[in-house]
Amino acid sequence: MAPDEAALASDLTSERFEIGVDRGWWTLHDRSGTTATFRVVAGTGRSVDMILDCAGYPGCAPAGALWSISEGSALPTNLWPQGGRASEVFSLAWSVGNGGSPYIPYDRRALVGHDPWRTDHPRHLWGPDKSIVDYLQLIRDVLRTATQPTMVEVAA
């Protein structure tokens, strides 16, 4: 097993990851090598699926995207979380042109060209002290602020 895959596999069996699973905050749907799919659930009951490319993990930040586990493809933009912080993090203006990635300092695609984040958001900057758990927790925190789509639309 390659070092990045071994590090990811280890973090996915860590106590921190399992605590999130036990609390219903996220579930691992599938992992193939350094690619993993998750369902992240907010306290509101709203959830999103994410696919994370963790090549180079943990030295390189994951590259995530909103995903539809049931369809096995990118989540349609009309189902992207919006409202609150979600409108900025899942920005239709930025994320669509960047592989559907969330606009956060934990994401590999979002880090490109955002050097000020190193001083503006040091707590949320990917580094050797971060793990997949930190990424999922940040997505969960953002999702908790979303107001759209409604839960009826998500369930459809």
Side-chain angles (χ1 to χ4, degrees):
M1 187 179 293
D4 53 358
E5 183 179 357
L8 177 61
S10 177
D11 282 351
L12 292 174
T13 60
S14 71
E15 183 177 0
R16 283 185 70 216
F17 182 82
E18 289 300 326
I19 287 170
V21 171
D22 291 345
R23 291 182 178 168
W25 295 348
W26 51 72
T27 57
L28 171 65
H29 175 71
D30 186 49
R31 182 183 68 81
S32 177
T34 58
T35 301
T37 53
F38 302 89
R39 174 152 297 147
V40 182
V41 181
T44 61
R46 183 173 279 112
S47 67
V48 294
D49 298 340
M50 298 283 305
I51 188 165
L52 299 179
D53 172 1
C54 298
Y57 182 86
C60 291
L66 290 168
W67 193 250
S68 170
I69 290 173
S70 62
E71 298 296 322
S73 62
L75 186 68
T77 57
N78 66 310
L79 295 178
W80 283 19
Q82 294 295 296
R85 288 177 52 212
S87 293
E88 180 181 326
V89 170
F90 301 110
S91 166
L92 295 173
W94 186 88
S95 295
V96 171
N98 288 282
S101 288
Y103 190 67
I104 57 172
Y106 283 172
D107 193 272
R108 182 182 330 152
R109 290 184 193 111
L111 284 169
V112 175
H114 290 94
D115 291 335
W117 282 356
R118 299 196 185 288
T119 53
D120 295 347
H121 305 285
R123 186 173 72 96
H124 291 301
L125 191 68
W126 188 263
D129 62 327
K130 302 298 184 219
S131 79
I132 200 75
V133 173
D134 298 296
Y135 192 109
L136 295 172
Q137 184 64 55
L138 183 55
I139 294 298
R140 181 177 183 274
D141 289 346
V142 168
L143 184 59
R144 292 172 66 181
T145 71
T147 58
Q148 296 293 324
T150 65
M151 292 311 298
V152 172
E153 291 170 317
V154 172

